[in-house]
Amino acid sequence: MPRYEILSEEAIVTLDAGWRRIVSELGVQFAKPEAVELFAKAGMRVEGEVVYLDPDFVMEQLALAPREFDMRARNPANNVHIGGDDMVFSGVYGPPFVLEGGARRDATMADYRRFTMLAQSFPELDSAGGVICEPNDTPLDSRHLDMIFALQTLTDKIYMGNVVSGVNARDTIEMSAILFGGEEVIAETPVCISLINCNSPLRWDDRMLDAQFEYNRARQPVILTPFLLMGAMSPVSVAATLAQQLAEAFAGIALAQLISPGCPVVFGSFLSNIDMQSGSPCFGTPESALGLLCTGQLARHYGLPFRTGGCLTSSQSPDAQAGYEALMTMLPTFLAGANFVMHSAGWLEGGLVSCYEKFIMDIELLRELQVEFTPLEVSEETLAFGAHEEVGHGGHFLGAAHTMERFRTCFYRPIVSSSQNYERWRRDGGKDAAARSGEICQRTLDAYEEPPMDEAIREELEAYVVRRRKELGD
Amino acid sequence: MPRYEILSEEAIVTLDAGWRRIVSELGVQFAKPEAVELFAKAGMRVEGEVVYLDPDFVMEQLALAPREFDMRARNPANNVHIGGDDMVFSGVYGPPFVLEGGARRDATMADYRRFTMLAQSFPELDSAGGVICEPNDTPLDSRHLDMIFALQTLTDKIYMGNVVSGVNARDTIEMSAILFGGEEVIAETPVCISLINCNSPLRWDDRMLDAQFEYNRARQPVILTPFLLMGAMSPVSVAATLAQQLAEAFAGIALAQLISPGCPVVFGSFLSNIDMQSGSPCFGTPESALGLLCTGQLARHYGLPFRTGGCLTSSQSPDAQAGYEALMTMLPTFLAGANFVMHSAGWLEGGLVSCYEKFIMDIELLRELQVEFTPLEVSEETLAFGAHEEVGHGGHFLGAAHTMERFRTCFYRPIVSSSQNYERWRRDGGKDAAARSGEICQRTLDAYEEPPMDEAIREELEAYVVRRRKELGD
C-alpha cells in the first residue's frame, strides 16, 4: 500500500535546516563523559556535557547505520525484518498499573507473565515488548532478570531489552547469549531491541546512555527516541517539534555509530501534546497524528528505519474514547508505514495502565488494519461477472455459486466486534466490547501453551537469574 | 491535504471495463415506465423494464452533470459547495429507534426535533440531514411534512428532501419554494439534496424514481446511491462491487440527465459487507474502508462529486467498538475527501438506532479530523528556534514565551475526550465517554436557540403543513 505523505519538498528543506541549526548552535547534552569524549575525538566542539555537532558529520554517521536489518527469534518463524516496507508490532511498554474488569491496581509479576502469554497467543504481535507492565511485587534491582526470563521462556518471539542501567543491559545481553549460543552469534543477527529515550529537550541521560553503550557494543539495535509531549518537552508547534525530534534522534544515532560503527539503530518517535489547561499528556490527538505522518516521511527521506505509533489513548477506561483514540494513532501508523510499533496492544490511561480488555481490542484493530492495508486485487476474475449473470436484477448474492465458494474467507472475521441483532445481543447478556474482550482474554490465557524449549538452556537461564539476583542483593 | 489513492491505473481500466460490460450486457432495471421510455427515446435497447445502456452514451450523459455546484441555506453563512476539495457533513439518516442513556426505544417526533436542534448547535455539521430518525408517533402519510418543517425552522442549514414517494418529494419542493421565494429561485441555486437509493443489484424502484423525477425537474440535487452490502446486494469481492457501484450509479445519473439535462447530481456510495455467518450487516470493516478509498479515486477519475463514509458502526451501544468503527469509516472518509458525508453523527447499531451519546462522540471525531486534515504549516517561524534558545537542555516549555503566546489555541481542545488523571476522574464520578457525551448532549439542548425566521414565511409553511395533512387524510 502507498504511504500517505503530507510534507512538501520545501517543508522538508525547512525541517532539515531546523535540526542542523539546533545541533550546531544549541548543541546536545550527553550526561556521560565517555559519550562526550567520543564526540570530542571525532572533532566536535564540546563545552562541559554539551556537544556542538557539525550537521555534515551527523549525516556521515547516519550513513553508517544499516537502512534495514534482520532480527532473530527463538522460533525462526517469528524472525522479523526491521525497515523497508515491513512493520513489526510489540505490546504496551512501561505502565505501573493494570486494569482488569474495571478495577485498577498495581501491576505484579503475575500480570507481567499473563500479558506475555497473551502476546505469545496472537500472531498479530511480533513481540511481547519489554516492560509490558512494572512488576511492582518483585525487588527493584533484580526484576529485570525475571522480566527477561519471562520474555525468553513464555514467548518464542523477539523481545525488548532492559534499559534501566548499563548493568541491566549487560544482564539482558548475557541472558540473550545463553539463549542463542553466545555473544558472537547474537552480534551477527541481533535478538533483542531496546528503547533509549531522550530526556527532551536536547539531553541524553547517563543511565540510558550506559544501557545504549552496552547494546551498541553488543550490536543489538536501539530505538533512539526523543520523548516529546509538545508544550512540555518541545515547543507548542508540530514543525518545531519535528525539527527537535530530528536533532535529538540524529545526535543519538551519531553516538551509536561512534560507539560501534554500522550497528543497527531505529529512528524513534514518541510525539504527542499536553493539555494546556491541566498539563496532562494527551494521546490520539490530531497533532500527534500529523506528527506521526511527517515522522514516517522524514525517516524515509533520511533512509532510516523508524519507530512510531501504537494504540495510544488518554482514556481511563476501555470505553469509546479508548477505541477511537487508539485508532486515531494506529491508522496513521499504518499510513506512515512505521517499521517498529511499540504500544501496539494494551495501552490505557496515557501509558500508566496496561489493560487486559484494551489489549484484546487493540489486537482486533491490528487484525483489521492488516487486512485493510493489504493491496486490493482488481482483475477480470475478481470482477465476478458470472455472479451478476447468475443473480440478475434485484436478486441477492447469498446463495450465488461465487459466494458459496468464498464465504468462509471473503471478509474479515472479527474477534471482538459484534454485529448481532439487538434481541440476540440482549439475550447474550448485552455485553459491550470491553466485557466481550475480557472473556476473550480469559479464554486465550486458558488455551495458552508454553512454547517448547531446550531444557539445558532453560536451566542455564534459571541459574543465571538465581546467581545474579544474589549478586544484586535481592 | 493530499488524497490517499490506492488503485493503479491498470485497476481503474479494469473497473471501467467492468461497469461497461454490466450496463451493456446485463442492463439495468428501471421500475417506472417513464424512465424506460426516456432511455428508449435516447436510442437504448429496452426489454420490459430492463435498459441495456451504451457505455459511451452513459459517459456523454455524465458529462452533462456539473462537476461542482453550490447550495443555498436559509442562513447564507451556512451555504455549501458540493464537489472539488469541499466536504459537507450531515447527520445520521433513517433509524427507526433511538438510544439514550442506555435505553433503546421507538423514535418519536420529539426525538427528531431534538436531533435537529443538536445538528443546528454544532458548526461541524453542514446539515441535520433528512430522516434523522423515523418519528413513529406521527401519521405515516404526513410525517414528511413535520420533518421538513422541523428542518426548515429549527435549523438554518441545508436539508435533505423526503424520498418516500413522488408526492412527498413534491411537498418538499413546495415547502422549499415557500421558504426561499419560489420554485424559480430554488431551481437557480438548489436548497435541498435528496438520497435516491438503488435497490441493488441493478434495479431502481418506482417510488424512489418518482421522487428522483420530481427533484431532477425542480433542479434539486439527488445522491444516486447503490446500496451495497457485499454478500447480499453484490458479490463477495470489493472489485466486483466497485464495478457494480459504477454501473448502478452511472445508470441513475444518466437518467437524471435525461430528465433534466445539467441538473446537479452526486455519485453515491454505501458499501459495506454482511457477516457471512449471520447475514447481519457489518460497518467499520476493512473491506468497507478499502471500498471507500477506491470510490473517492473513481469519482475523481470520472469528474463527479461523490458521497460516501460517515461514522458507521454495527455496535449496539456507544462503547469502544462504536468508537473505533466510527473512526475506521470516518478517517478514510477524510482520506478519500468525500464531498457529501451522510451519517456523520449519531449512527448506531448498523443504522437502526440514532444515539444521542454517539451523536456527541461523532462530533468530537469530526472536530478532530477537521484539525488533522488542515495542512501543517512548516516555516522558519513555526520552527520556533527562539523557544529552544530560551528553554535549553533538559528544561521545559510550559512557561516559555512562545508557549505563553499560543497556549489557548495551539492544540485541539476536546469536548468529550478526557485526559484527567485517575484520581480526579474518579472524584468526578468516573464517567466514561458515553456518560460524558450524554451530559454534553443535555447541556447543548438546554442552550439551543431557534434561529430567527420571517414570521410571514413561517405562517405560510405552517398553513401548508395543515392543508396538506388534511389532504393526505391524517
Side-chain angles (χ1 to χ4, degrees):
Chain A
M1 294 283 277
R3 305 281 175 253
Y4 187 60
E5 306 206 317
I6 62 174
L7 289 172
S8 65
E9 275 305 308
E10 203 189 337
I12 291 177
V13 169
T14 303
L15 293 170
D16 185 73
W19 76 260
R20 287 171 183 264
R21 187 171 181 199
I22 292 171
V23 298
S24 56
E25 294 186 23
L26 300 177
V28 178
Q29 188 177 10
F30 290 88
K32 181 174 166 78
E34 213 177 338
V36 176
E37 274 160 37
L38 279 174
F39 281 115
K41 259 192 220 158
M44 298 299 107
R45 180 163 70 88
V46 160
E47 279 179 30
E49 291 185 334
V50 176
V51 179
Y52 296 86
L53 289 148
D54 170 3
D56 293 333
F57 165 79
V58 171
M59 288 304 287
E60 286 163 26
Q61 293 300 105
L62 256 59
L64 299 176
R67 295 177 79 93
E68 316 185 10
F69 58 91
D70 289 312
M71 287 187 67
R72 189 178 155 200
R74 178 153 77 84
N75 178 348
N78 294 329
N79 291 349
V80 300
H81 183 75
I82 311 259
D85 285 338
D86 282 83
M87 295 182 74
V88 169
F89 300 94
S90 73
V92 61
Y93 188 106
F97 301 107
V98 296
L99 188 76
E100 186 175 21
R104 185 180 187 262
R105 52 179 161 76
D106 282 352
T108 64
M109 194 63 211
D111 289 313
Y112 188 93
R113 291 174 55 88
R114 288 171 76 212
F115 277 113
T116 304
M117 289 154 67
L118 285 177
Q120 173 69 11
S121 303
F122 290 104
E124 289 74 23
L125 287 181
D126 298 291
S127 172
V131 189
I132 313 172
C133 61
E134 245 340 305
N136 296 294
D137 57 343
T138 56
L140 195 59
D141 284 342
S142 66
R143 67 171 62 146
H144 63 287
L145 302 168
D146 302 307
M147 290 194 269
I148 299 295
F149 183 77
L151 291 169
Q152 290 183 323
T153 54
L154 299 176
T155 83
D156 56 10
K157 303 180 173 187
I158 64 157
Y159 50 87
M160 296 187 70
N162 196 286
V163 295
V164 169
S165 66
V167 170
N168 288 12
R170 193 67 227 154
D171 281 328
T172 305
I173 293 162
E174 295 196 12
M175 289 176 74
S176 299
I178 293 170
L179 183 59
F180 287 93
E183 289 206 31
E184 303 73 24
V185 176
I186 67 168
E188 197 121 322
T189 309
V191 300
C192 79
I193 183 166
S194 300
L195 174 68
I196 304 295
N197 275 338
C198 185
N199 183 355
S200 306
L202 301 174
R203 178 183 156 91
W204 292 90
D205 277 342
D206 53 347
R207 290 168 72 94
M208 280 274 177
L209 285 175
D210 289 346
Q212 178 180 346
F213 270 73
E214 291 291 348
Y215 287 121
N216 287 158
R217 283 175 182 145
R219 310 288 282 186
Q220 301 305 296
V222 291
I223 309 167
L224 293 150
T225 305
F227 191 89
L228 299 169
L229 292 170
M230 292 182 279
M233 294 83 151
S234 75
V236 292
S237 145
V238 175
T241 302
L242 288 170
Q244 179 182 337
Q245 179 174 266
L246 291 170
E248 294 175 347
F250 286 5
I253 293 171
L255 173 61
Q257 301 306 319
L258 283 177
I259 298 167
S260 183
C263 70
V265 292
V266 174
F267 167 35
S269 171
F270 183 86
L271 193 174
S272 197
N273 57 278
I274 60 167
D275 177 309
M276 296 308 293
Q277 272 72 49
S278 68
S280 61
C282 302
F283 296 96
T285 65
E287 292 80 9
S288 66
L290 284 169
L292 206 164
L293 293 170
C294 295
T295 295
Q297 192 173 352
L298 291 167
R300 278 185 291 279
H301 176 77
Y302 293 104
L304 293 165
F306 70 108
R307 169 245 161 162
T308 186
C311 279
L312 311 187
T313 176
S314 312
S315 183
Q316 304 86 356
S317 68
D319 63 351
Q321 179 185 342
Y324 64 69
E325 286 186 338
L327 191 58
M328 194 72 96
T329 326
M330 204 41 141
L331 213 160
T333 303
F334 274 77
L335 287 169
N339 300 122
F340 195 84
V341 185
M342 292 179 64
H343 314 305
S344 301
W347 164 295
L348 197 72
E349 204 196 315
L352 288 174
V353 166
S354 295
C355 173
Y356 286 95
E357 291 84 358
K358 175 78 166 20
F359 192 101
I360 303 295
M361 286 175 190
D362 291 342
I363 293 290
E364 176 87 305
L365 294 184
L366 266 182
R367 294 175 79 234
E368 291 198 35
L369 290 170
Q370 287 174 1
V371 173
E372 193 167 321
F373 282 79
T374 302
L376 185 65
E377 201 193 329
V378 178
S379 61
E380 189 57 34
E381 199 220 322
T382 55
L383 288 190
F385 189 75
H388 284 297
E389 286 183 307
E390 184 184 346
V391 169
H393 308 93
H396 66 80
F397 289 82
L398 271 169
H402 179 268
T403 305
M404 298 304 281
E405 285 160 19
R406 290 163 182 80
F407 78 97
R408 278 181 211 284
T409 55
C410 56
F411 300 135
Y412 173 76
R413 294 171 76 164
I415 56 171
V416 174
S417 303
S418 165
S419 60
Q420 282 188 321
N421 69 56
Y422 187 74
E423 290 68 31
R424 178 145 179 203
W425 177 72
R426 291 285 295 180
R427 254 201 325 274
D428 287 356
K431 291 166 193 148
D432 68 8
R436 295 193 300 270
S437 295
E439 294 178 350
I440 295 166
C441 178
Q442 195 49 58
R443 279 204 301 277
T444 306
L445 289 172
D446 291 344
Y448 169 82
E449 283 181 42
E450 200 168 309
M453 188 177 210
D454 182 294
E455 198 47 45
I457 291 177
R458 189 190 177 89
E459 280 168 19
E460 199 178 339
L461 286 170
E462 276 171 345
Y464 184 90
V465 170
V466 169
R467 172 171 68 80
R468 287 290 296 143
R469 198 196 310 279
K470 213 169 182 178
E471 288 170 6
L472 291 165
D474 287 332
Chain B
M1 294 283 277
R3 304 284 175 249
Y4 186 60
E5 307 206 318
I6 62 173
L7 289 172
S8 65
E9 275 304 308
E10 202 188 340
I12 291 178
V13 169
T14 303
L15 293 170
D16 185 70
W19 76 260
R20 287 172 182 262
R21 186 171 180 200
I22 292 171
V23 298
S24 57
E25 295 186 22
L26 300 177
V28 178
Q29 187 178 11
F30 290 89
K32 182 176 165 78
E34 213 177 336
V36 177
E37 273 160 38
L38 280 173
F39 281 115
K41 258 191 221 159
M44 298 299 107
R45 181 163 68 88
V46 161
E47 280 179 29
E49 290 184 335
V50 177
V51 178
Y52 296 87
L53 289 149
D54 170 3
D56 293 332
F57 165 78
V58 171
M59 289 304 288
E60 285 164 25
Q61 293 300 105
L62 256 60
L64 298 176
R67 295 178 79 94
E68 316 185 9
F69 58 89
D70 290 312
M71 287 188 67
R72 189 178 154 200
R74 179 152 77 85
N75 178 348
N78 293 330
N79 291 349
V80 299
H81 183 75
I82 312 262
D85 285 338
D86 282 84
M87 295 182 74
V88 169
F89 298 94
S90 72
V92 60
Y93 188 106
F97 302 107
V98 296
L99 188 78
E100 185 174 21
R104 184 180 188 261
R105 53 178 161 78
D106 283 351
T108 64
M109 194 63 213
D111 289 312
Y112 188 95
R113 290 173 56 89
R114 287 169 76 212
F115 277 113
T116 305
M117 289 153 67
L118 286 177
Q120 173 69 12
S121 303
F122 290 105
E124 289 74 21
L125 287 181
D126 298 292
S127 172
V131 189
I132 313 172
C133 60
E134 246 339 305
N136 295 294
D137 58 343
T138 56
L140 195 61
D141 284 342
S142 65
R143 70 172 59 145
H144 64 286
L145 301 168
D146 301 307
M147 291 195 270
I148 299 294
F149 184 77
L151 291 169
Q152 290 184 323
T153 54
L154 297 176
T155 84
D156 55 10
K157 302 181 174 187
I158 64 158
Y159 50 89
M160 295 186 72
N162 196 285
V163 295
V164 169
S165 65
V167 169
N168 288 13
R170 193 65 227 155
D171 280 329
T172 306
I173 293 162
E174 293 195 13
M175 289 175 74
S176 299
I178 293 170
L179 184 59
F180 287 93
E183 289 206 31
E184 303 73 27
V185 176
I186 66 168
E188 197 122 322
T189 309
V191 300
C192 79
I193 182 166
S194 300
L195 173 67
I196 304 295
N197 275 338
C198 185
N199 183 356
S200 304
L202 301 175
R203 179 185 155 90
W204 291 91
D205 277 342
D206 51 348
R207 290 168 72 95
M208 281 273 178
L209 286 175
D210 288 346
Q212 179 180 346
F213 269 74
E214 291 290 348
Y215 287 121
N216 287 159
R217 285 178 181 142
R219 310 288 283 188
Q220 301 304 296
V222 290
I223 309 168
L224 293 149
T225 305
F227 191 88
L228 300 169
L229 293 170
M230 292 183 279
M233 293 83 149
S234 74
V236 292
S237 147
V238 175
T241 302
L242 289 170
Q244 178 182 339
Q245 179 175 267
L246 291 170
E248 294 175 347
F250 286 6
I253 293 171
L255 173 62
Q257 301 306 319
L258 283 178
I259 298 167
S260 182
C263 70
V265 292
V266 174
F267 168 34
S269 171
F270 183 87
L271 194 173
S272 196
N273 58 278
I274 60 166
D275 176 308
M276 295 308 291
Q277 272 72 51
S278 68
S280 62
C282 302
F283 296 97
T285 66
E287 292 81 8
S288 67
L290 283 169
L292 206 164
L293 294 170
C294 295
T295 295
Q297 192 171 352
L298 291 167
R300 278 185 290 279
H301 176 77
Y302 294 104
L304 293 166
F306 71 108
R307 168 243 161 161
T308 187
C311 281
L312 311 188
T313 176
S314 311
S315 182
Q316 305 85 356
S317 68
D319 63 351
Q321 179 186 341
Y324 63 69
E325 286 187 338
L327 192 58
M328 195 70 96
T329 326
M330 204 43 141
L331 213 160
T333 303
F334 274 78
L335 288 168
N339 300 122
F340 194 84
V341 185
M342 292 178 65
H343 314 304
S344 301
W347 165 296
L348 197 71
E349 205 197 315
L352 288 174
V353 166
S354 295
C355 172
Y356 286 96
E357 291 85 358
K358 175 76 165 22
F359 191 101
I360 303 296
M361 287 175 191
D362 291 342
I363 293 290
E364 176 87 306
L365 293 185
L366 266 181
R367 295 174 78 232
E368 291 197 35
L369 290 169
Q370 287 175 1
V371 173
E372 193 167 321
F373 283 79
T374 302
L376 186 65
E377 201 193 329
V378 178
S379 61
E380 190 56 36
E381 200 219 321
T382 56
L383 288 189
F385 189 77
H388 284 297
E389 287 183 307
E390 183 183 347
V391 169
H393 308 93
H396 66 80
F397 289 83
L398 270 169
H402 179 268
T403 305
M404 298 305 280
E405 285 160 20
R406 288 163 182 80
F407 78 98
R408 278 180 211 284
T409 57
C410 56
F411 301 135
Y412 173 75
R413 295 172 77 164
I415 56 171
V416 174
S417 303
S418 165
S419 59
Q420 281 189 322
N421 70 54
Y422 187 75
E423 290 69 29
R424 176 141 182 208
W425 176 72
R426 291 284 295 179
R427 254 201 326 275
D428 287 355
K431 290 168 195 145
D432 68 8
R436 296 194 300 270
S437 296
E439 294 177 349
I440 295 166
C441 178
Q442 194 50 57
R443 278 204 301 276
T444 307
L445 289 172
D446 291 345
Y448 168 83
E449 283 182 42
E450 197 167 312
M453 189 178 209
D454 182 295
E455 199 48 44
I457 291 177
R458 190 191 177 88
E459 280 167 19
E460 199 179 339
L461 286 170
E462 276 170 344
Y464 184 89
V465 170
V466 169
R467 174 172 65 82
R468 287 291 295 144
R469 198 195 311 277
K470 214 170 180 180
E471 288 170 4
L472 291 165
D474 287 334

